């Protein structure tokens, strides 16, 4: 009887031990590693030696791009990446004297084309915007190439204020010859900066420029004596865009007329939009 009771008690103890062991295994399976053991920002718990070594190796491989890479459950390994060198601006390549193909005209080509366009006989009898000898230069562009001909040509636009004519000359940059020249009346390309400056000179010399000078003195406390004291821009005054054109401006289109916008350098605007300058007649008229 005693032997039977001892064996039964042994089975109960063994069963209890197996139950405890099974519970421990279940807990180990449900909580891998040491999840939940650490709530710090760097990770969730502490890795064992082997796992830590693996994480460190992985972090070292990507450290230069990420800087800080946390291993699983660890605090990560910081990599001291090399800072990139400061940015520099490479100097522009030196411009050659002659362009190739459809390249924009070089400074040398622009200068040469303008000089060649002013060479033909009769140029000295023409007038620029200031009334001086020679036509007023308006602009120079690369001419369209001829079929099967790679020669570079320039198209130079000039204006003769003596006859109110637009002159267009095509210059062969290889031979130095003016190959074509044409004149037109009533055609008015956009104003050149030299023309805009002359228009401002005429405004300041006119009785109508008194208000401009007063506005400048109010804004700066100084007298306006030169166009260099103002920023200015503008373009042609075109009568077909205006509702009411004064009689004095009725020839604008045949004449070269401009309207300016002006302001104090780094300062207030000065309204000159109601002052129209007829550069051909050298007059200033108020509109509006």
């Amino acid at each position: 009887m005693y032997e039977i009771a001892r064996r039964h008690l042994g089975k109960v103890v063994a069963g209890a031990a197996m139950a405890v062991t099974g519970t421990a295994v279940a807990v180990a399976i449900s909580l891998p590693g040491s999840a939940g053991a650490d709530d710090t920002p760097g990770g969730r718990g502490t890795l064992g030696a082997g796992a830590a070594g693996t994480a460190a190796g992985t972090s070292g491989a990507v450290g230069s791009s990420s800087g800080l890479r946390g291993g699983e459950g660890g605090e990560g390994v910081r990599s001291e990446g090399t800072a990139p060198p400061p940015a520099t601006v490479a100097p522009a390549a030196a411009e050659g004297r002659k362009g190739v193909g459809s390249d924009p005209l070089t400074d040398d080509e622009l200068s040469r084309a303008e000089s060649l366009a002013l060479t033909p006989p009769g140029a000295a009898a023409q007038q620029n915007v200031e009334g001086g000898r020679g036509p007023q230069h308006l602009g120079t562009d690369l001419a369209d190439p001829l079929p099967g001909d790679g020669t570079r040509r320039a198209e130079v636009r000039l204006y003769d204020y003596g006859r109110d004519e637009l002159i267009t000359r095509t210059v062969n940059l290889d031979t130095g010859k003016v190959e074509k020249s044409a004149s037109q009346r009533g055609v008015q390309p956009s104003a050149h900066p030299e023309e805009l400056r002359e228009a401002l000179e005429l405004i300041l010399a006119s009785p109508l420029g008194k208000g401009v000078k007063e506005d400048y003195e109010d804004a700066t406390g100084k007298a306006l004596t030169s166009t260099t004291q103002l920023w200015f821009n503008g373009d042609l005054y075109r009568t077909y865009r205006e509702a009411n054109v004064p009689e004095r401006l009725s020839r604008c289109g045949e004449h070269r007329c401009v309207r300016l916008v002006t302001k104090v350098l780094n300062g207030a605007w000065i309204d000159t939009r109601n002052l129209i300058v007829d550069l051909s007649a050298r007059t200033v008229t108020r509109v509006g």
Side-chain angles (χ1 to χ4, degrees):
M1 188 67 180
Y2 172 79
E3 183 65 18
I4 293 173
R6 185 180 66 81
R7 291 178 180 178
H8 181 69
L9 180 59
K11 291 179 180 181
V12 171
V13 173
M18 292 177 64
V20 172
T21 302
T23 301
V25 171
V27 171
I29 293 173
S30 64
L31 297 174
S34 42
D38 185 11
D39 289 332
T40 60
R44 291 164 40 179
T46 304
L47 294 175
T54 302
T58 303
S59 177
V62 300
S64 60
S65 60
S66 63
L68 182 64
R69 171 79 178 265
E72 181 183 354
E75 293 183 349
V77 179
R78 182 177 298 276
S79 174
E80 299 295 338
T82 303
T88 58
V89 178
E95 183 181 69
R97 295 187 60 187
K98 295 179 60 176
V100 178
S102 60
D103 288 348
L105 294 169
T106 65
D107 290 344
D108 282 346
E109 288 176 319
L110 288 169
S111 178
R112 184 163 184 259
E114 182 180 349
S115 176
L116 291 170
L118 294 173
T119 301
Q126 296 163 344
Q127 292 183 9
N128 61 25
V129 68
E130 297 176 353
R133 297 176 61 183
Q136 175 65 42
H137 177 245
L138 298 183
T140 304
D141 296 309
L142 182 68
D144 293 332
L146 299 177
D149 185 357
T151 302
R152 284 168 64 84
R153 295 174 173 83
E155 186 176 87
V156 184
R157 295 184 303 281
L158 308 165
Y159 197 83
D160 178 12
Y161 274 91
R163 296 175 56 86
D164 276 309
E165 286 185 343
L166 174 67
I167 304 166
T168 305
R169 290 181 177 142
T170 303
V171 177
N172 186 316
L173 294 172
D174 285 349
T175 64
K177 294 181 178 180
V178 176
E179 296 183 336
K180 183 166 49 174
S181 181
S183 299
Q184 297 173 283
R185 288 187 176 181
V187 179
Q188 300 291 352
S190 294
H192 188 275
E194 291 177 1
E195 294 178 301
L196 298 179
R197 182 175 296 280
E198 182 63 18
L200 184 54
E201 292 275 10
L202 291 172
I203 289 175
L204 297 183
S206 164
L208 294 177
K210 179 180 178 182
V212 178
K213 295 177 181 178
E214 290 174 347
D215 288 346
Y216 183 88
E217 188 168 0
D218 288 343
T220 65
K222 300 177 181 179
L224 176 59
T225 59
S226 170
T227 59
T228 58
Q229 294 170 264
L230 293 172
W231 176 93
F232 58 90
N233 204 344
D235 208 346
L236 294 183
Y237 172 80
R238 303 187 187 274
T239 56
Y240 61 83
R241 297 177 179 172
E242 307 297 323
N244 299 300
V245 179
E247 179 63 26
R248 292 187 67 188
L249 299 178
S250 60
R251 296 188 67 183
C252 290
E254 176 189 348
H255 283 188
R256 201 152 168 77
C257 303
V258 298
R259 166 183 269 153
L260 300 179
V261 290
T262 59
K263 67 188 296 286
V264 177
L265 293 176
N266 301 315
W269 290 94
I270 297 178
D271 193 359
T272 54
R273 293 172 297 173
N274 63 341
L275 300 179
I276 307 304
V277 181
D278 183 336
L279 290 170
S280 300
R282 300 184 68 79
T283 59
V284 181
T285 303
R286 188 188 302 276
V287 297

